[in-house]
Each structure stands twice: as C-alpha cells, then as structure tokens.
Amino acid sequence: MINISSPLLGNDEIEAITKVLRSGALAQGTETEKFEEAFASYIGTKYAIATNSGTAALHVALLASGIGEGDEVITSPFSFIATANAILFCGAKPIFVDIDEDTFNINPNLIREKITPRTKAILPVHLYGQPCDMKEIANICNEHDLILIEDACQAHGAEYAGKKAGSFGVGCFSFYPTKNMTTGEGGMITTDNESIAEKARMLRSHGQRGRYVHEILGYNYRMTDMAAAIGICQLGKLDEFNQRRIDNAKFLSGEIAGIEGLVPPFVTPNVRHVFHQFTVRVGKEFTLSRDELRQSLSEHGVGSAIYYPLPIYRQQLYQKLGYDDNLPVSEKAAQEVLSLPVRPDLRQEELETIVRALLK
Ligand SMILES: *Cc1c(COP(=O)(O)O)cnc(C)c1O
C-alpha cells in the first residue's frame, strides 16, 4: 500500500536522540533552546517558543495575545478541530467564515461582515500547506485593530510573497508525525513580539518566570529535549522534503489535469505551497463517487484520506454548543475533497501507480 503519510527518520535522528538519552537531561533544556533558535531563524521571527503539541501552541498563542472570555475569534470551519477548540479553551467564541473555492482557505472577502465589537482576533489556517491571502487578511486586521494568529500547523516552510507562513502574526506549528517535519508530538509558536514571547514561555510552564515563582495560571506544555533533538535534524531537511513534495505534486497535477471530473490543487501565483496534502476535488462528472474512488484506489494499493469530512461547526461538540452555520463552499468541499499520497519519499514508479489507479 502506498500510504498517505509516514515520517522520514534517519540515522541522524536516532543518534541525536540517543545522545540526549545518554546525557540524562530529558526535559526541556538546551536542545529545546537550540531548536527554538534554529526555528525562529528559519521562519524569520525574533522568537520561537516550543510546546508539546500544535494544539498547545494555538492555546498558548491565543492566551498570550490576550484572548479570553467573551471574545470572538474569526477562523475557518474547514480545518482540523484543534484550530477552533483552542479558541474554546480560552473561553472565547469561534466565528466561522466560509472558505475560498480554489484554495480551501478562509475567504477574506467574507470576513468583514462577521466582525462585531467583540471580535478580537483572526485565526486563518494555511490549509494543506498553502498560505492564505495574507495581504488582505493583514489589511483587515489593521483596519479593525485585530490580532493576527496563524495556524501554520500544515505550512512549515510555506511562503506568501517571499515571506514565511508564521511570520505575519503569531505563528503556530505542529510537529505531529504526519506533518512536513516531525518531533513525534510537538509544536512551536513564532513571533516578533517580545511580550507575547515572554508570556508564552510562562504559560507553557505553569506561569513561572523564575524557578518556582508563579505569576499567572499556566500549563505544562513543555517540549522534551528528545523531541527537540529530532526537530533540529528534521528542520535541516525540511527544504529538501518540501521541494520533493512540490515536485511530486507537479507531476501528479500534470497527469490528473486531463481526467474528467478530477480537479487538481490550485496554487496561488505568489505563494510557495508546500503540499502538506495533495488534495483533489472529485466532481460529479467523475465516473465514480468519492467513496467508490477511495475504495478502488485502495484495491490498487493507493492510500487516500478525506481532510475534512465535516466542517467544524457540524461536529457534535459544536452542534451541542448551538452552532447552526451552513457555509456552502465549506459544505461542498467536505463532500468533494480527497487527499492522495505526495510524501517526499515517493518513488517515480509509485507516482505512476497512483496515476494509473486514478485512470482505471
Ligand atoms: C495538526 C494540526 C493541528 C494540531 O496539531 P497537534 O500537534 O496535533 O496538536 C492544528 N491545526 C491544524 C490545521 C493541524 O493540521
């Protein structure tokens, strides 16, 4: 089976983690600091704060930005549930804005009508590795004095107009094993804002500034030095991994272009899309339904996945909270999307197997 994802770990990761184990210093320490410095420098921000998951990064980024009870945060319903849940963790309310038909990212033209006096922040998601329309979103934030927090959990190394995703506002990253780079579990917050960075460091570690001096209510969201050691190795390979994803996507898109009813991913002209996922639309003109296509691909040894089968507001949790949104572009996307393998380690013959399976 050609799996949709698998982490790419080599001897250097094994050696790095063994060194940490032998040192006996396992919790957040010097490796984590090194990883933070390297990550900040890669993204182009002054600060980076490591956490033990992308979800924790989102939670801390929102809290450190001052989001709390009664605030509204505008976000995309077409994402992993962690994006919206992090807003709920803060006692704030996610406000869903429909997505763009082509990019699957939040549609900036629909944001203004959802802004109220309670709106405090916009939390766009760079879905599948493609940056959102950051110029337009940044304009809206400036106009309405809103905080910008980016869910870049799928967009390590992605760029908008030559600037890295996660460097426009407060950036949040995940290093879960399926992401473009991994630490097992892990996350990172990136920012140029010194006071947000300082607050984030405190929130990650029980609100402490100095050793056992606790100023605010915080959490244990610390990264381990084992995870950080893996992260340092992975960051060194990220550009190469991403380039191979881009090349694989280019090949697949070219081959799919001629198939009736299959829509290859759209790439915005001024972005570097790093193809966390290679997601096609299975339209009505295609000979099979999406589920039949999945089944048939699986019979031909090709894995696939649906990200995401439901807009977040349709999840039980949100229905119970009283959400009754019905955003047409998100609804349609949830019915039509199918992600195919685009992993950096796919061989040419595997890429050809994927195309052959689609043609059959
Ligand atoms: C993976 C992911 C997260 C959460 O990251 P974890 O490390 O799994 O907590 C949040 N948002 C998006 C868009 C993601 O893909």
Side-chain angles (χ1 to χ4, degrees), residues 10 41 98 123 141 144 163 192 230 232 234 236 285 293 320:
S41 145
D98 209 359
L123 174 48
C141 286
H144 294 268
K163 205 166 131 61
D192 282 329
I230 302 173
I232 293 166
Q234 291 271 301
E285 312 77 37
L293 174 58
K320 279 188 214 147

Side-chain angles (χ1 to χ4, degrees), residues 129 156-159 180 238-253 267 271-276 278 342-344:
H156 322 65
E159 290 174 12
N180 292 34
L238 178 62
D239 282 338
E240 191 193 324
F241 286 168
N242 280 343
Q243 190 54 52
R244 281 195 255 155
R245 285 178 182 274
I246 292 166
D247 293 343
N248 292 345
K250 198 169 169 195
F251 176 81
L252 291 172
S253 286
V267 182
V271 308
R272 178 175 168 85
H273 183 332
V274 294
F275 287 96
H276 170 61
F278 180 88
V342 72
R343 291 171 2 222

Side-chain angles (χ1 to χ4, degrees), residues 51-58 78-84 125-128 151-155 172-179 184-187 276 308:
T51 57
N52 54 12
S53 74
T55 306
L58 285 162
F78 198 59
S79 179
F80 182 51
I81 197 161
T83 312
V125 183
H126 306 302
L127 201 73
Y128 305 145
D151 184 336
C153 287
Q154 304 187 355
C172 301
F173 293 85
S174 163
F175 305 122
Y176 188 73
T178 58
K179 309 287 164 139
E185 295 271 10
H276 170 61
Y308 295 89

Side-chain angles (χ1 to χ4, degrees), residues 208-318:
Q208 70 172 12
R209 199 184 291 274
R211 215 176 168 78
Y212 300 117
V213 181
H214 305 273
E215 287 184 18
I216 53 172
L217 180 65
Y219 304 83
N220 177 357
Y221 282 165
R222 293 182 300 265
M223 179 174 270
T224 68
D225 263 15
M226 283 94 74
I230 302 173
I232 293 166
C233 297
Q234 291 271 301
L235 183 61
K237 304 179 202 176
L238 178 62
D239 282 338
E240 191 193 324
F241 286 168
N242 280 343
Q243 190 54 52
R244 281 195 255 155
R245 285 178 182 274
I246 292 166
D247 293 343
N248 292 345
K250 198 169 169 195
F251 176 81
L252 291 172
S253 286
E255 298 293 313
I256 286 169
I259 305 178
E260 171 94 7
L262 280 193
V263 184
F266 172 85
V267 182
T268 314
N270 60 342
V271 308
R272 178 175 168 85
H273 183 332
V274 294
F275 287 96
H276 170 61
Q277 296 298 344
F278 180 88
T279 304
V280 301
R281 273 185 194 271
V282 184
K284 291 204 174 53
E285 312 77 37
F286 193 70
T287 48
L288 303 176
S289 74
R290 178 179 62 177
D291 289 344
E292 289 165 345
L293 174 58
R294 274 202 83 189
Q295 180 60 33
S296 163
L297 286 171
S298 157
E299 282 158 17
H300 289 91
V302 177
S304 64
I306 297 167
Y307 305 109
Y308 295 89
L310 285 179
I312 293 174
Y313 54 76
R314 291 243 176 248
Q315 298 284 353
Q316 257 187 54
L317 165 66
Y318 286 81

